[in-house]
Amino acid sequence: MDFKALASRYKTPLFIYDFDHISAQFNSVKEAFNARKSLVCYAVKANSNLSILKHLANLGAGCDCVSVGEVKRALYAGITRYKIIFSGVGKDDSEIEFALKENILMLNVESEAELKRVEAIAKNLNTTARISVRVNPNVDAKTHPYISTGLRKNKFGVDTDTAKKLYIYCKNSPFLDPVGIHCHIGSQITDIAPYRDATAITAELLRSLKALEIDIKFFDVGGGLGIRYKDETPIKPYDFAQSVLANLSGTDVTIVCELGRFLVGNSGYLLTKVLYEKQNGTKRFVVVDAAMNDLIRPSLYSAYHEIETVDKNGGGSLADVVGPICESGDFLGKDVELPPLEHSDLLVVKSAGAYGFSMSSNYNSRPRAAEVAVKDGKDRLIRARESFEDLIELEKEYLKKDWDE
Ligand code: LLP
């Protein structure tokens, strides 16, 4: 990757995504499930850029969405409607209505109250809603507490007994068609055991539903496959698939997974320019033009992202790499070993493809960074850098109004 050329062409801070890497990641999962009917969905929340969605649509991906905005993005980018799942713990009536009218594959329901709303809206529209129920298996995914979702204390899904009751309710409703079963236990998972445990619990429920003549067609194992940020040993897609398949022998379900980070995380780089160095006593800081508004993961989860120099080598000393935002929590890396740096030197923050841009903000009135795709050695802009005009667009109109008007 020619970071120097990309920086001079598109300026910094800049997100760069390697589309060939995304293809390779997608194909590795698809192959792992080769022996079965499968649908590899992309969790749009990880990075919702339309060009990324289109690239994945071309590879045959479906999408897991958690808001109507994500459903609209998926449709806009050309994802087949029968491959779109709408998940999430809270859906507004208008969102449910939109999803039903668009006839997407299924709505993933997370509570009894939600199921009743879906039923009422489907009835109003005189249609039948295809749904899945999200099971909370009470399994510890052994990941960061903020991104662990499969424990009873988390807000997600319903326990297996409640799930069973909901399925029976669906069976007796002309407006609900229970086609799927779903379970997602967390994110950045690097231990296979929680997957095995969670799918065993969900598969048992699947079998008991079959006995009740509730015929589930889609078995959604969620997402969460971890990647390497530092020294983690990620689960191989083959082992992931085997841990799922081992629990499903004798069943004829289509396996669905909804991966975000695994598909795009390591494809992404955040390229940033050094503004200057400073020393507070013995503490060395490298101040760069990217900040927590661009990549909040280090500040929010103490997440580690490797940071490398682009055109300077050699050892140096430890420094905190910090942004211009007025918060002490604004850092991209702590105690990073870096050579002496000068104004305009480039640093690259790695593994920034997932939950980077999609969690970025305009905090401190900073326009969001541009995004670039690289494929077959060619690069192109996939999101323009925001301007000051963009920042004030939705406000400026109201300046003209007086309180007395
Ligand atoms: N499916 C559901 C229902 C989810 O809630 C999530 C992620 C995924 C799939 C995709 O998970 P993945 O394959 O990307 O691990 N912002 C955090 C991650 C939050 C994940 C939320 N749910 C981070 O930066 O680490």
Side-chain angles (χ1 to χ4, degrees):
M1 196 79 70
D2 189 348
F3 291 117
K4 227 173 152 173
L6 291 168
S8 79
R9 197 166 310 145
Y10 301 105
K11 310 291 175 244
T12 57
L14 181 70
F15 280 99
I16 302 156
Y17 309 115
D18 177 349
F19 273 28
D20 298 315
H21 186 267
I22 296 176
S23 304
Q25 293 294 95
F26 179 85
N27 291 332
S28 70
V29 181
K30 196 68 201 159
E31 268 161 37
F33 284 107
N34 242 350
R36 294 283 296 241
K37 287 177 286 181
S38 67
L39 172 61
V40 179
C41 286
Y42 170 57
V44 176
K45 61 174 86 68
N47 189 324
S48 50
N49 185 287
L50 290 174
S51 296
I52 292 184
L53 300 182
K54 185 177 168 202
H55 180 65
L56 285 158
N58 290 340
L59 295 170
C63 274
D64 169 61
C65 305
V66 288
S67 70
V68 81
E70 289 190 352
V71 175
K72 286 179 182 174
R73 274 182 180 269
L75 289 167
Y76 194 89
I79 301 278
T80 312
R81 65 187 67 245
Y82 300 117
K83 292 184 179 176
I84 296 177
I85 302 169
F86 187 8
S87 306
V89 77
K91 302 180 189 74
D92 185 56
D93 285 1
S94 64
E95 295 187 297
I96 296 169
E97 190 176 323
F98 181 87
L100 292 178
K101 281 185 177 160
E102 287 293 331
N103 207 9
I104 62 166
L105 177 59
M106 58 189 166
L107 279 99
N108 186 23
V109 167
E110 303 217 16
S111 62
E112 182 180 348
E114 186 191 341
L115 188 72
K116 299 276 172 71
R117 293 264 9 119
V118 172
E119 184 188 34
I121 294 165
K123 186 175 176 189
N124 246 345
L125 295 173
N126 199 19
T127 188
T128 305
R130 282 185 296 275
I131 64 107
S132 56
V133 175
R134 177 167 178 175
V135 178
N136 182 325
N138 202 24
V139 164
D140 186 355
K142 302 199 183 79
T143 183
H144 190 289
Y146 283 13
I147 53 177
S148 182
T149 53
L151 286 169
R152 202 129 301 158
K153 67 178 179 190
N154 303 129
K155 68 179 173 180
F156 300 99
V158 296
D159 61 70
T160 45
D161 289 346
T162 309
K164 198 167 177 176
K165 270 192 246 149
L166 297 186
Y167 280 111
I168 293 168
Y169 182 86
C170 289
K171 196 185 171 202
N172 296 319
S173 167
F175 306 105
L176 296 169
D177 183 11
V179 294
I181 191 164
H182 176 268
C183 172
H184 169 82
I185 52 173
S187 196
Q188 183 54 16
I189 298 169
T190 52
D191 184 349
I192 195 88
Y195 275 122
R196 214 179 299 124
D197 297 348
T199 37
I201 291 167
T202 323
E204 196 184 314
L205 177 61
L206 174 82
R207 290 200 166 85
S208 73
L209 295 176
K210 181 113 191 152
L212 295 169
E213 287 174 2
I214 298 170
D215 196 18
I216 301 294
K217 297 181 183 66
F218 298 94
F219 188 91
D220 186 342
V221 296
L225 264 193
I227 58 169
R228 177 170 295 177
Y229 286 99
K230 191 180 191 178
D231 49 14
E232 302 89 339
T233 312
I235 300 168
K236 294 191 183 69
Y238 177 83
D239 296 332
F240 170 59
Q242 289 307 310
S243 76
V244 174
L245 297 177
N247 289 307
L248 291 175
S249 55
T251 67
D252 184 33
V253 284
T254 297
I255 316 244
V256 182
C257 61
E258 17 176 89
L259 302 169
R261 191 188 318 263
F262 182 83
L263 297 180
V264 295
N266 282 335
S267 80
Y269 303 85
L270 173 59
L271 189 58
T272 182
K273 190 178 77 182
V274 173
L275 298 175
Y276 16 73
E277 286 221 20
K278 68 180 282 184
Q279 193 93 19
N280 279 356
T282 55
K283 184 87 190 166
R284 178 185 172 207
F285 293 98
V286 174
V287 187
V288 297
D289 67 353
M292 68 190 281
N293 75 299
D294 300 300
L295 182 67
I296 202 173
R297 302 193 71 257
S299 313
L300 193 58
Y301 315 113
S302 305
Y304 173 87
H305 285 260
E306 193 179 341
I307 299 179
E308 280 181 359
T309 51
V310 168
D311 44 9
K312 283 210 164 141
N313 296 318
S317 59
L318 299 183
D320 284 4
V321 178
V322 299
I325 282 180
C326 304
E327 299 224 16
S328 297
D330 176 27
F331 62 90
L332 299 173
K334 292 213 160 182
D335 294 327
V336 188
E337 188 170 348
L338 291 168
L341 295 165
E342 290 163 27
H343 184 76
S344 292
D345 282 342
L346 294 170
L347 293 179
V348 61
V349 185
K350 297 170 87 174
S351 307
Y355 308 107
F357 189 90
S358 64
M359 292 180 81
S360 68
S361 75
N362 293 121
Y363 188 38
N364 279 204
S365 280
R366 289 170 51 86
R368 279 183 292 176
E371 294 178 289
V372 162
V374 178
K375 186 167 167 261
D376 297 329
K378 289 190 220 123
D379 54 81
R380 69 185 169 98
L381 197 61
I382 56 171
R383 192 180 204 270
R385 183 175 303 286
E386 287 180 356
S387 64
F388 174 68
E389 277 299 313
D390 294 327
L391 294 188
I392 61 166
E393 182 57 31
L394 301 176
E395 299 164 42
K396 60 182 184 192
E397 170 79 16
Y398 306 104
L399 266 188
K400 295 178 204 146
K401 291 208 167 123
D402 228 320
W403 282 107
D404 304 328
E405 270 175 41

